[in-house]
Amino acid sequence: QSSKDNKTVFFLFCIRDNDCQHSPDSTVNSWYQSIFEMPLKHITLANLSEDGVNAMVSDTLCLFPRLTRPLSRVLHRKALGNPFFVWQTLKVLQKEGYLYHSLRGTMRRWMWDMDKISDLRISENVLFLLMSEMNKLPSDMRMGLEVASCMGANVSMIVVGILSSHL
């Protein structure tokens, strides 16, 4: 094979350690354990501290850390410091209108309603958050993902091409 024939796929799977520990018989846990049988690069990313989450939120929203600290505390509690989950939660908050950019007056910056966000029942399981986001995809795209998932862990580029041409 020439180097042009070698294809590399980047796949990112993120799960909190406690998600597997609390449900050892789950399908996700079984799949998670089976992927270590493949030659994959496993990178363990430690959870962020509350200050780490605040730095992430502050950088993302371009606000001083003292302004984002209350929001970061809530996000840290909900995400348990998982940076991927913090990011996904921020995206959901923005998409649902709980986090918004204000253009009124002199305070042109990101704003949020702490009471509403604190009371919001965001799934504390990353898998359920991703599943709810996937359910928002167009039905034809979900169908394509469902068909591809039936083909196992490896789906050829030819199959992906066929599926994408019909979507």
Side-chain angles (χ1 to χ4, degrees), residues 10 23 30 38 58 61-62 66 68 78 127 135 142:
F10 177 74
S23 54
S30 299
M38 297 177 226
S58 172
L61 301 180
C62 299
R66 64 181 169 76
T68 58
K78 291 184 181 293
L127 178 63
N135 285 334
R142 280 196 322 267

Side-chain angles (χ1 to χ4, degrees), residues 2-29:
S2 71
S3 62
K4 287 193 279 186
D5 294 333
N6 291 331
K7 303 287 184 199
T8 301
V9 174
F10 177 74
F11 178 74
L12 175 67
F13 178 73
C14 181
I15 190 165
R16 295 184 305 204
D17 292 337
N18 63 330
D19 287 340
C20 286
Q21 292 168 352
H22 292 311
S23 54
D25 297 330
S26 73
T27 304
V28 173
N29 192 43

Side-chain angles (χ1 to χ4, degrees), residues 64-77:
F64 292 114
R66 64 181 169 76
L67 297 174
T68 58
R69 181 147 320 273
L71 176 62
S72 297
R73 279 191 193 114
V74 171
L75 290 175
H76 184 264
R77 188 178 70 242

Side-chain angles (χ1 to χ4, degrees), residues 26-55:
S26 73
T27 304
V28 173
N29 192 43
S30 299
W31 181 81
Y32 179 69
Q33 296 302 322
S34 73
I35 64 173
F36 291 108
E37 298 168 8
M38 297 177 226
L40 299 174
K41 176 109 176 155
H42 180 230
I43 301 170
T44 301
L45 181 63
N47 290 336
L48 297 174
S49 65
E50 193 174 291
D51 288 337
V53 170
N54 192 41

Side-chain angles (χ1 to χ4, degrees), residues 1 23 88 130 136 142 159:
Q1 272 185 344
S23 54
Q88 289 298 316
L130 292 176
K136 294 175 184 175
R142 280 196 322 267
V159 172

Side-chain angles (χ1 to χ4, degrees), residues 29-154:
N29 192 43
S30 299
W31 181 81
Y32 179 69
Q33 296 302 322
S34 73
I35 64 173
F36 291 108
E37 298 168 8
M38 297 177 226
L40 299 174
K41 176 109 176 155
H42 180 230
I43 301 170
T44 301
L45 181 63
N47 290 336
L48 297 174
S49 65
E50 193 174 291
D51 288 337
V53 170
N54 192 41
M56 181 180 176
V57 173
S58 172
D59 286 346
T60 301
L61 301 180
C62 299
L63 292 171
F64 292 114
R66 64 181 169 76
L67 297 174
T68 58
R69 181 147 320 273
L71 176 62
S72 297
R73 279 191 193 114
V74 171
L75 290 175
H76 184 264
R77 188 178 70 242
K78 291 184 181 293
L80 301 177
N82 181 310
F84 178 71
F85 192 52
V86 169
W87 178 252
Q88 289 298 316
T89 304
L90 279 171
K91 286 175 39 178
V92 168
L93 291 174
Q94 190 272 328
K95 211 182 259 187
E96 300 293 326
Y98 295 104
L99 176 66
Y100 56 93
H101 199 266
S102 175
L103 299 176
R104 293 186 186 172
T106 58
M107 296 188 73
R108 296 176 187 225
R109 65 178 185 93
W110 287 99
M111 305 287 285
W112 54 89
D113 184 331
M114 276 307 303
D115 293 332
K116 285 183 180 178
I117 292 174
S118 293
D119 294 341
L120 193 62
R121 302 215 20 110
I122 297 174
S123 172
E124 295 188 3
N125 183 313
V126 177
L127 178 63
F128 291 121
L129 177 67
L130 292 176
M131 287 173 55
S132 70
E133 287 299 300
M134 286 183 70
N135 285 334
K136 294 175 184 175
L137 293 173
S139 61
D140 55 347
M141 188 175 289
R142 280 196 322 267
M143 176 62 81
L145 289 171
E146 288 173 17
V147 170
S149 71
C150 294
M151 296 178 187
N154 299 312

